[in-house]
Amino acid sequence: GFVLINCATGYCSLQLNQESLISLHCVVFSFLTVATAMAAAKTRTSTFSRNLSTAAPSHGPGLKCGPNGTVFLSSGIPDLDKILGGGFPLGSVVMVMEDAEAPHHMLLLRNFMAQGLVLGQHLLYSSPARDPRGFLGTLPSPAASKDDKSRERDPDQEKGLRIAWQYKKYFGENQLDGQRDGKHEYSNEFDLRKPLERHFINGPRIDCVSIQDCPDLSTLRDRCATFLSQFPRNDGSISCAGRIAIQSFCAPQCAYSNMEWDMLSFIRSLKSMVRSSNSVAIITFPPSLLSPSFCKRWQHMADTLLSVKAIQDEDKELAQLLTGYQDMVGFLNVHKVARINTQVPVILEATTFSIKLQKRRYLVLECLNQAPVDGSSGTSYGTSGGCSSSSKTGNLDF
Amino acid sequence: MLKLQCPDGDEGITPEGGLIALYGKIHKTISALPEISWKNVSIIIDDLSLMEVAANGSSDYVLDFLRYCRTLTSEFDCSLITLNHEDIYSSEDRPTFFIQMEYLADILIKAEPLATGLATDVHGQLTVSNKGRNKVSNFHFKVKENVVECFYPGRS
């Protein structure tokens, strides 16, 4: 058999019998020497080959096959799915860094939760509120298909105005694909003005946990373990997937919020439970409430790392630099994209997106577009003119 | 692959106990191999910052564990490779743990993004400091499916 051990990504494939288990370490070293030798010799061949299954098994609703044997579920925001290359992969942990000045992380949470419920997936929701169930009443409903169609037409026309034709070739192939028939089985456009129908919220597939009065995290950990045991990962087709949404995990009103190592230990154990199940966990947290060193540790735990930022009111400099500034409610930054079963990283064209509410109903994410320089004013912008990505919106760098 | 049993709640496993047991397992596994293959053994720890989490913050025990593993490299002439994240420690007042790690190492490999930011052709740069030979090298690298290609800056 062949052996490939790549500890850094957690991807490990072993085909050994009992006797050869002892020689495992020898193979590890030979892998390293082969890798270094190959790198030095600049050969393109490799002695390792990926064991691909020939046919992708069909899965239940709300699941889509991705590359490298991964399976995605939708974030509930079609634009975000596209940015992330399909959605959130099963077995991954998504972390969202909140901005204390605006509740934009709630937009991400609501769409994530509503998407799961609408497609029959199970949901475990935890928040520092005394009665987390109250939040379920704010979940949005899928947009009516009539509204959908009118929305589909506008972006094409808008894009025709904003982006010259020769740049269309730089867009991904699936950007302009129809996919509308299968679309509603995987992801929906959500109407933030329409609440989710009662029968979705009152179903048996939702469990809510309040973490406000918990002295330690063992209750939450046990609830997560019980929840995730319903979706064990095996090689067959997946009948059902689960979603865990943990809101404002280190909020100060929680009794455990000063137990830094315990919180980290919880995230670590949640991550390992999620990794061996068919589910996705989203954890939002306010980074300003953690010490810088722990904030970094939390960020390293994430498979997918996002952050949201508020837009200051009346920021005249930003208004001059960006088109469509008035419609923006905030910024979304993509810091890390989950990579499962592969060590090749994803390099995004852009990592900062504006959050807009189209018609005050639909959440859209757009690349930032630099406004034309006003030549009449006579001042020159000190910042660079390149349109590369930036994660520090405060510096006004593009 | 050997597993470190992380104390999840009260299972009677202390961080120190868990690490001592892990060291014992490693020693036992290598001892059981034929002597001729000892030098071909690589102990890979991925990664140390998670080991601190498993030890519930007792970084001293993790450092002790690391020192003990290092003794194995002279006892068995095997290799020890560990991974850690520098940015976690650079925000601390006293980054003792990381400094100790750097001190213990014979070869230090630093992987970081390019100063100019992210790129699709070059994923980052490696700085290799070989204390034994007093040599520092710098490479660019690109991560591919089965291999990591390293090349001198400017070439690919």
Side-chain angles (χ1 to χ4, degrees):
Chain A
F2 74 89
V3 177
L4 172 63
I5 302 166
N6 190 332
C7 302
T9 59
Y11 173 57
C12 172
S13 167
L14 303 173
Q15 285 178 25
L16 297 169
N17 52 29
Q18 274 302 101
E19 295 153 332
S20 53
L21 211 65
I22 289 172
S23 58
L24 180 64
H25 294 285
C26 305
V27 185
V28 169
F29 185 77
S30 64
F31 161 69
L32 288 172
T33 46
V34 167
T36 16
M38 280 179 354
K42 288 197 182 183
T43 49
R44 296 292 190 263
T45 57
S46 161
T47 52
F48 301 110
S49 59
R50 189 177 287 284
N51 216 0
L52 286 168
S53 53
T54 41
S58 63
H59 301 300
L63 298 170
K64 178 164 86 169
C65 283
N68 305 318
T70 52
V71 179
F72 290 118
L73 49 73
S74 171
S75 61
I77 304 168
D79 285 343
L80 185 57
D81 287 346
K82 269 193 215 116
I83 292 164
L84 297 175
F88 295 139
L90 292 184
S92 68
V93 169
V94 180
M95 296 188 76
V96 180
M97 296 192 280
E98 304 172 14
D99 184 348
E101 306 202 0
H104 297 322
H105 59 282
M106 309 288 262
L107 294 170
L108 300 180
L109 273 177
R110 282 197 194 102
N111 281 42
F112 175 75
M113 290 164 64
Q115 183 70 81
L117 294 175
V118 155
L119 292 171
Q121 292 166 348
H122 295 237
L123 174 68
L124 175 67
Y125 170 60
S126 161
S127 89
R130 208 160 277 283
D131 181 25
R133 283 228 158 231
F135 181 66
L136 301 179
T138 67
L139 295 183
S141 187
S145 44
K146 190 180 80 152
D147 287 328
D148 244 338
K149 289 221 179 70
S150 62
R151 200 229 150 199
E152 296 289 3
R153 244 182 283 123
D154 285 335
D156 284 341
Q157 287 177 337
E158 278 182 335
K159 282 197 167 102
L161 287 172
R162 274 197 275 110
I163 299 161
W165 65 269
Q166 67 258 38
Y167 294 119
K168 283 220 164 122
K169 68 185 178 201
Y170 293 117
F171 288 106
E173 296 126 3
N174 48 9
Q175 179 95 349
L176 307 169
D177 268 0
Q179 273 195 325
R180 268 164 223 160
D181 301 322
K183 197 174 172 184
H184 291 293
E185 288 189 10
Y186 176 71
S187 76
N188 293 81
E189 198 70 58
F190 284 93
D191 184 345
L192 297 177
R193 281 183 157 186
K194 210 168 103 187
L196 192 58
E197 287 160 43
R198 289 262 112 202
H199 69 90
F200 283 120
I201 300 171
N202 295 330
R205 286 190 271 249
I206 310 185
D207 195 7
C208 291
V209 184
S210 168
I211 43 182
Q212 192 181 121
D213 294 325
C214 296
D216 60 32
L217 289 159
S218 51
T219 323
L220 183 59
R221 183 185 286 122
D222 293 340
R223 293 286 278 275
C224 288
T226 318
F227 177 78
L228 291 170
S229 62
Q230 303 172 81
F231 325 104
R233 172 136 358 152
N234 48 43
D235 282 330
S237 63
I238 305 163
S239 54
C240 199
R243 296 177 184 233
I244 294 183
I246 299 177
Q247 182 195 319
S248 300
F249 186 50
C250 58
Q253 61 262 46
C254 301
Y256 60 80
S257 61
N258 56 353
M259 296 154 66
E260 294 188 303
W261 287 105
D262 289 58
M263 289 196 284
L264 205 47
S265 182
F266 170 83
I267 297 174
R268 189 205 54 78
S269 62
L270 176 67
K271 186 173 171 171
S272 67
M273 289 194 283
V274 166
R275 187 55 74 95
S276 54
S277 75
N278 289 322
S279 61
V280 172
I282 259 194
I283 304 176
T284 76
F285 68 99
S288 52
L289 293 181
L290 293 170
S291 63
S293 147
F294 272 88
C295 191
K296 283 285 167 206
R297 287 184 190 267
W298 282 46
Q299 290 175 39
H300 279 294
M301 289 282 191
D303 293 308
T304 303
L305 182 64
L306 309 171
S307 68
V308 286
K309 258 215 141 41
I311 287 207
Q312 312 298 339
D313 287 333
E314 297 302 312
D315 189 333
K316 296 212 167 54
E317 278 190 61
L318 262 185
Q320 279 183 326
L321 277 171
L322 298 171
T323 53
Y325 172 71
Q326 273 69 29
D327 305 323
M328 296 180 194
V329 299
F331 292 118
L332 174 86
N333 263 296
V334 180
H335 300 276
K336 208 195 306 189
V337 178
R339 296 300 274 162
I340 311 246
N341 290 348
T342 176
Q343 61 180 14
V344 183
V346 153
I347 309 290
L348 295 177
E349 294 263 321
T351 58
T352 307
F353 301 89
S354 61
I355 306 173
K356 288 187 181 177
L357 287 178
Q358 210 170 53
K359 295 184 188 171
R360 296 194 205 166
R361 289 176 151 204
Y362 311 113
L363 196 61
V364 295
L365 300 171
E366 288 182 356
C367 281
L368 300 178
N369 285 312
Q370 203 168 1
V373 172
D374 181 8
S376 62
S377 67
T379 56
S380 65
Y381 291 105
T383 55
S384 65
C387 291
S388 57
S389 62
S390 163
S391 54
K392 289 203 194 107
T393 54
N395 282 349
L396 305 176
D397 259 332
F398 291 96
Chain B
M1 254 195 307
L2 300 175
K3 254 204 257 197
L4 167 63
Q5 192 67 24
C6 302
D8 275 347
D10 28 40
E11 285 162 12
I13 307 170
T14 62
E16 189 183 13
L19 287 168
I20 291 174
L22 181 63
Y23 170 74
K25 276 190 220 169
I26 297 174
H27 193 277
K28 191 171 158 202
T29 309
I30 304 177
S31 307
L33 294 171
E35 190 171 333
I36 192 112
S37 55
W38 282 353
K39 62 183 192 310
N40 293 335
V41 170
S42 291
I43 306 167
I44 303 179
I45 303 177
D46 175 17
D47 62 64
L48 279 175
S49 67
L50 287 178
M51 218 171 230
E52 285 183 287
V53 179
N56 220 30
S58 317
S59 309
D60 291 338
Y61 294 143
V62 180
L63 256 180
D64 287 342
F65 171 78
L66 198 55
R67 287 199 195 97
Y68 270 89
C69 286
R70 198 177 183 283
T71 65
L72 295 175
T73 61
S74 36
E75 184 180 345
F76 294 109
D77 202 22
C78 59
S79 311
L80 173 64
I81 303 161
T82 63
L83 171 68
N84 212 338
H85 302 286
E86 191 182 10
D87 57 359
I88 293 175
Y89 303 93
S90 54
S91 3
E92 276 177 0
D93 298 324
R94 300 176 298 116
T96 327
F97 184 76
F98 197 75
I99 291 175
Q100 294 263 1
M101 240 190 82
E102 283 191 325
Y103 175 73
L104 286 173
D106 297 314
I107 300 179
L108 207 58
I109 302 179
K110 186 167 167 174
E112 57 192 331
L114 295 174
T116 44
L118 297 175
T120 43
D121 295 325
V122 178
H123 290 152
Q125 56 180 326
L126 284 179
T127 310
V128 183
S129 315
N130 192 332
K131 287 185 199 166
R133 297 186 200 164
N134 208 21
K135 187 176 174 209
V136 178
S137 321
N138 184 250
F139 302 102
H140 284 179
F141 67 85
K142 180 172 179 173
V143 182
K144 291 188 159 175
E145 202 57 69
N146 288 330
V147 73
V148 175
E149 274 189 358
C150 293
F151 40 89
Y152 287 109
R155 288 154 151 253
S156 57

